[in-house]
Amino acid sequence: MISLLDRIKNGEVLVCDGAMGTLLQDKGLKPGECPELWCVDHPEKTKEIHQQYRDAGSNIVETNSFGGTSYKLKHFGLGDRVSEINTAASTIAREIAKDDQYVLASAGPTGQFMTPLGTETEEDFYNAFKEQCIALEAGGADAIIFETMTALEELTVAIKAAKENTKLITVASFTFDPQQNGGYATMMGINPTTFAEAAVSAGADIIGSNCGLGPDHMIKIVKQLKEDAPNTPIIAMPNAGMPVIENGETIFKETPEQMAQKISDIIDAGANIIGGCCGTTPAHIAAIKSILEER
Ligand SMILES: [Zn+2]
């Protein structure tokens, strides 16, 4: 199979999956249950979700391992099952991806801070990401995305752990919010320019943004990243519009058609891989795919 990076180099725009969490809930994941444990306890249901996205036209299967570091798993009493759960996550994804889709392993933030802001050392973070990366590669992942990240120190140590211990392609994806000055920054105060420079110099093969406030903002964020890192491929995985709170629940209302209308602008801004984050479904991915086929 041609590598993911070569296909991007050849000018292709690839489609990635949409949301995982909401689909797991539709299949019976209860509040307070560990989503990643479903890779072990309900592999068939997790695989059904991967298959739905494959059928929608995704080129990349994203694993159910977002909360797969020991930091996150220990909240569920699963801190000693990191290897088992993450290897299961990428094994399942590989089974659906076969040899004509790529497996992108998902890794989210630890939820902790390094000293002096928090109590964790760089070595603690390094070891946690190392453990997760090795397990994800063992199950057959091609690449790893550190996503929904907001802190540079955490990102750079995660990339280092992946680079030094695996052959995985590394993807760095931050979540930005609009600022009063018209720009964007993470909740840790990192703007796209600072992120792009740090991610590229840490060795990220692909950079980008996920989650946030929908496709309209994503167009501007991608434009900025392209300006800051013109030679690095870009991934964009927006939410299905602005989050709205209804009956105490956060929901995303942008329909597949509404979201798809903005996809061409995100590609024109410089994105090489397009997927979806919160609120996106296989129908959103199918709509994105049809836009790409029309271009
Ligand atoms: Zn999201």
Side-chain angles (χ1 to χ4, degrees), residues 56-285:
S58 171
N59 304 111
I60 299 167
V61 182
E62 194 176 348
T63 63
N64 174 23
S65 54
F66 178 78
T69 57
S70 54
Y71 284 103
K72 285 290 184 185
L73 289 178
K74 76 181 173 203
H75 293 302
F76 301 99
L78 301 168
D80 57 347
R81 294 177 66 184
V82 172
S83 292
E84 176 198 3
I85 291 171
N86 284 281
T87 298
S90 48
T91 302
I92 290 167
R94 188 83 259 168
E95 280 173 32
I96 300 300
K98 305 191 178 71
D99 61 3
D100 59 352
Q101 270 183 308
Y102 304 97
V103 173
L104 177 61
S106 169
T110 60
Q112 303 294 318
F113 294 108
M114 264 187 249
T115 50
L117 223 53
T119 54
E120 302 309 300
T121 65
E122 191 176 322
E123 199 187 354
D124 294 333
F125 270 23
Y126 181 89
N127 289 332
F129 284 115
K130 176 182 171 184
E131 184 183 26
Q132 187 185 19
C133 291
I134 289 173
L136 287 165
E137 185 180 46
D142 300 297
I144 185 161
I145 179 167
F146 299 108
E147 60 179 338
T148 327
M149 290 265 172
T150 60
L152 278 187
E153 308 73 40
E154 183 169 14
L155 174 75
T156 45
V157 76
I159 292 175
K160 190 167 182 245
K163 292 253 161 220
E164 290 179 353
N165 299 285
T166 72
K167 293 192 169 64
L168 296 168
I169 293 167
T170 53
V171 187
S173 180
F174 263 34
T175 299
F176 296 103
D177 297 313
Q179 305 295 299
Q180 281 185 342
N181 65 7
Y184 292 89
T186 72
M187 62 180 189
M188 301 299 289
I190 308 299
N191 65 34
T193 303
T194 309
F195 156 68
E197 282 166 5
V200 170
S201 69
D205 299 297
I206 299 171
I207 64 169
S209 183
N210 72 292
C211 218
L213 299 182
D216 294 313
H217 291 289
M218 191 58 84
I219 297 166
K220 297 180 195 161
I221 293 167
V222 168
K223 225 175 244 171
Q224 185 64 53
L225 292 176
K226 192 73 207 170
E227 221 177 283
D228 297 327
N231 301 317
T232 305
I234 291 178
I235 187 168
M237 300 211 284
N239 289 344
M242 289 266 206
V244 267
I245 313 276
E246 272 181 16
N247 303 321
E249 252 184 278
T250 306
I251 54 167
F252 298 85
K253 288 191 160 173
E254 216 162 79
T255 64
E257 293 68 31
Q258 287 170 330
M259 192 169 166
Q261 281 171 9
K262 297 158 191 166
I263 293 309
S264 273
D265 286 342
I266 298 180
I267 295 166
D268 292 341
N272 307 94
I273 303 175
I274 305 265
C277 201
C278 305
T280 58
T281 64
H284 289 83
I285 298 307

Side-chain angles (χ1 to χ4, degrees), residues 11-68:
E12 220 179 317
V13 176
L14 300 174
V15 179
C16 191
D17 290 349
M20 168 64 66
T22 35
L23 273 72
L24 285 169
Q25 285 161 20
D26 291 345
K27 293 193 181 292
L29 178 77
K30 304 258 176 328
E33 218 181 321
C34 174
E36 293 77 18
L37 188 58
W38 273 42
C39 299
V40 175
D41 288 352
H42 305 287
E44 292 309 317
K45 288 185 178 169
T46 311
K47 276 203 279 195
E48 278 169 29
I49 297 171
H50 293 325
Q51 184 68 46
Q52 280 177 276
Y53 282 120
R54 183 184 169 102
D55 295 344
S58 171
N59 304 111
I60 299 167
V61 182
E62 194 176 348
T63 63
N64 174 23
S65 54
F66 178 78

